[in-house]
Amino acid sequence: MTRGAPGDTGLSRWQRLSPWAIGLTLVTTTGALVRQHLPLLLAAGAGLAVSERFGLREALLGGGLLVLVALLLSLLYYRRFRFRFDADVLVIQKGLFVHREFKVAARHVQQTSVQQPAWMRPLGVVQWEVETLAGEAASIALPGIRREQAEALEAHLRGAAPAADAPDAGPPRDAATERFAITPGALVLHGLTSRSLVVIAALLSPLVRPLERWLHDRLPHLDLWAWLPASPSLAVGLGLVAAVAVLTLLAVLAAWWRFHGFVLHDDGDRQVQVSGLLHRRSQTLTLRRLQVVEWVQTGLGRALGRGYLVCHQFGATGGGEVAEARRFLVPGLTPGRADALVLPLWPGRCAPPSVMAPLQRVSRLYRRVLFLRLLLAMLAGLGVLAWGLGDAAVELPAWSLGPAVLGLVALAAAVAELRWRSLGWSRQGDWLQVRRGLWGRRTCLFPAEHLVSLQVRQSWLQRRRGVVTLQLHLASGRQSLPFVEEDAALALANRLLASVEGAPGS
């Protein structure tokens, strides 16, 4: 066992998890297995329920045996799990049947996370997770350590990280300065304007058929005609309004659960956020690893003037609400407040442009191409629908085909216009902005030197019209600019490549 130097925090010696980690590992592993194999467990339970060989006593004995085996495995996992610091390298040894050792250098750490559910607070333990340059795939977690140990790990990683990798940050700033604290009204607006409404609707969609069957069986036996409206269309409208109200309430409750008490602190070369109603979570963002800042507004968010910031780092590919939940996200912002928060994220650089700055649109040919693609797809869908209806489609009046086709043409033209207007780009100094979306908007802002690679593509149609498609590859994903004028695109590509080649350390 290595002895630490006098005055150190003891992290140079081998450390173990808290004894409570045995129970935490058992609960979390059991929950993960149940979620992954829920259909198999339900099928096994149904089989045992109808079987004559197994009764309540056999089920209790089998369950007790499984719990005992899981407890013994958790105890073995706890005994083999240990960690320590070797200079600026975090060494973690773990394994149940196969012994594994992980080493993480402090200079490769880009984000840390501390989570403490409500049931872990009385125990005084947290789950500490570190994310490296490889992204979420190479994240390492310490399940169940004392909060004092987590704070010591954070301090050691911060002190061991080299400051030479970061750009000149100018004069030192006050540590742990509060930059933003969300208000209850902003939290409610974030729940209304985020994509949680769509995600919750998708999660609850499997319950529609069981609910329909329950209503079909129970509704005839209930005396509801006394208060239901006489008009069927009004009744359907009220039902839709009630469903939207329930989904909206669930989205607001989800925002309160995730971001209640959200506070963003400026801690020198790091940004630290703390949030959560019962499940408290603390995230640390290392500014020298920041690649892209994305300003996100949904359709309703644009109408209400609200959005949120997503900070992308190395390996932060993918999208969606679930992926964004793991990233460094700042909710409930107005555009002006977002501009004020983006400014200190890249210390030592010139001021970035506003997230709402007007952008340059791509060629109008893109709108025409989108219109033709959408129209052909809609007409094909109409043909498939008519073929599926069979004789019912033949019985429709002949004049009904004209209005249907005209409606599809108008719909395709409107969607193509919105898609074309939402797509734009701009280069101001060392900064590049790319915006995309349909009803909502996502605006990516990043320094030009953060570009990893660039591709210029040109189809036969684009060659005839003098336009190209730019593929911008970043550490956080890919951004596409279709149908950009050839001269402007090549000039932009040359300037971007010059910025990358002239970047420090390139």
Side-chain angles (χ1 to χ4, degrees):
M1 182 176 293
T2 306
R3 294 185 178 272
D8 67 1
T9 58
L11 293 178
S12 58
R13 300 186 297 270
W14 285 113
Q15 306 288 322
R16 294 196 178 274
L17 302 176
S18 169
W20 293 108
I22 302 175
L24 299 179
T25 304
L26 180 61
V27 172
T28 55
T29 305
T30 302
L33 291 176
V34 169
R35 287 195 302 269
Q36 294 174 3
H37 306 286
L38 184 59
L40 294 178
L41 292 176
L42 292 178
L48 293 177
V50 300
S51 176
E52 298 181 355
R53 289 189 174 185
F54 295 92
L56 179 60
R57 183 182 62 181
E58 289 79 7
L60 292 178
L61 289 176
L65 181 61
L66 290 177
V67 170
L68 180 60
V69 172
L71 187 60
L72 292 177
L73 293 178
S74 300
L75 180 60
L76 182 61
Y77 184 80
Y78 164 77
R79 289 178 59 86
R80 294 188 176 182
F81 199 117
R82 59 179 184 171
F83 61 94
R84 70 180 179 94
F85 263 105
D86 185 5
D88 64 337
V89 178
L90 177 62
V91 183
I92 300 175
Q93 294 182 354
K94 64 178 182 177
L96 191 57
F97 301 108
V98 179
H99 183 76
R100 293 178 293 176
E101 181 175 280
F102 300 88
K103 294 184 179 181
V104 181
R107 63 181 180 275
H108 293 158
V109 174
Q110 66 176 3
Q111 180 174 310
T112 59
S113 173
V114 179
Q115 301 189 45
Q116 189 179 40
W119 51 274
M120 292 176 63
R121 292 185 191 178
L123 308 179
V125 294
V126 298
Q127 179 177 344
W128 186 78
E129 186 174 0
V130 59
E131 189 173 303
T132 62
L133 299 180
E136 300 171 5
S139 61
I140 300 175
L142 301 181
I145 62 175
R146 298 189 305 274
R147 177 170 287 277
E148 295 78 10
Q149 283 182 310
E151 294 174 354
L153 288 170
E154 296 273 354
H156 197 109
L157 285 175
R158 184 184 179 191
D165 291 348
D168 183 14
R173 292 172 288 183
D174 296 335
T177 302
E178 182 178 308
R179 294 190 57 206
F180 174 71
I182 197 167
T183 60
L187 193 55
V188 172
L189 288 176
H190 176 72
L192 293 175
T193 58
S194 67
R195 294 186 297 174
S196 299
L197 191 67
V198 180
V199 174
I200 293 174
L203 292 177
L204 297 180
S205 59
L207 301 178
V208 173
R209 294 299 298 272
L211 180 61
E212 181 183 356
R213 293 180 187 142
W214 182 83
L215 291 176
H216 182 269
D217 296 336
R218 297 294 302 274
L219 195 59
H221 304 286
L222 300 177
D223 188 13
L224 301 178
W225 303 109
W227 56 275
L228 280 177
S231 173
S233 58
L234 183 58
V236 172
L238 290 177
L240 293 177
V241 169
V244 172
V246 171
L247 293 177
T248 302
L249 178 61
L250 292 177
V252 172
L253 291 178
W256 275 85
W257 176 269
R258 173 66 179 86
F259 296 108
H260 173 73
F262 181 93
V263 180
L264 179 65
H265 295 283
D266 189 347
D267 193 8
D269 63 340
R270 307 185 309 166
Q271 300 290 309
V272 183
Q273 61 171 238
V274 181
S275 64
L277 182 60
L278 299 178
H279 188 130
R280 298 296 291 176
R281 183 181 184 185
S282 174
Q283 278 186 294
T284 301
L285 173 71
T286 305
L287 295 183
R288 66 177 177 275
R289 303 302 185 190
L290 182 61
Q291 294 298 299
V292 178
V293 172
E294 197 170 24
W295 169 246
V296 184
Q297 282 187 302
T298 60
L300 184 57
R302 293 177 58 199
L304 298 179
R306 294 283 174 168
Y308 56 92
L309 289 175
V310 184
C311 300
H312 297 267
Q313 300 178 107
F314 288 96
T317 57
E321 194 80 9
V322 178
E324 288 181 357
R326 290 183 54 88
R327 300 182 186 135
F328 200 88
L329 190 148
V330 185
L333 300 175
T334 60
R337 190 58 175 161
D339 288 333
L341 292 179
V342 168
L343 182 60
L345 292 180
W346 281 287
R349 296 185 181 272
C350 61
S354 171
V355 295
M356 300 296 292
L359 304 181
Q360 182 177 347
R361 293 196 180 102
V362 299
S363 173
R364 295 178 182 272
L365 180 62
Y366 182 61
R367 178 177 57 184
R368 193 179 310 171
V369 171
L370 279 178
F371 168 72
L372 293 176
R373 289 176 181 174
L374 291 172
L375 183 59
L376 290 176
M378 291 179 181
L379 291 177
L382 182 62
V384 172
L385 179 62
W387 175 78
L389 292 176
D391 296 337
V394 178
E395 296 176 358
L396 294 175
W399 57 265
S400 62
L401 181 61
V405 173
L406 290 178
L408 293 181
V409 170
L411 180 60
V415 174
E417 178 73 17
L418 291 176
R419 287 284 301 275
W420 176 73
R421 287 183 176 274
S422 64
L423 184 63
W425 63 276
S426 173
R427 184 181 184 274
Q428 300 183 22
D430 296 334
W431 301 93
L432 186 67
Q433 278 183 296
V434 179
R435 185 182 64 198
R436 65 187 187 277
L438 182 59
W439 307 111
R441 300 287 172 85
R442 303 181 75 95
T443 304
C444 294
L445 174 65
F446 57 93
E449 66 187 50
H450 286 182
L451 186 68
V452 176
S453 64
L454 184 145
Q455 292 182 352
V456 180
R457 298 182 178 181
Q458 194 174 38
S459 64
W460 66 271
L461 176 62
Q462 291 176 330
R463 285 196 300 270
R464 295 187 58 185
R465 296 305 180 94
V467 294
V468 300
T469 296
L470 287 179
Q471 299 283 353
L472 309 177
H473 296 268
L474 301 166
S476 59
R478 186 184 68 180
Q479 300 292 332
S480 179
L481 288 175
F483 290 82
V484 182
E485 298 294 338
E486 186 173 6
D487 295 338
L490 295 179
L492 175 62
N494 292 332
R495 285 197 294 265
L496 290 176
L497 293 177
S499 300
V500 175
E501 294 173 355
S506 60

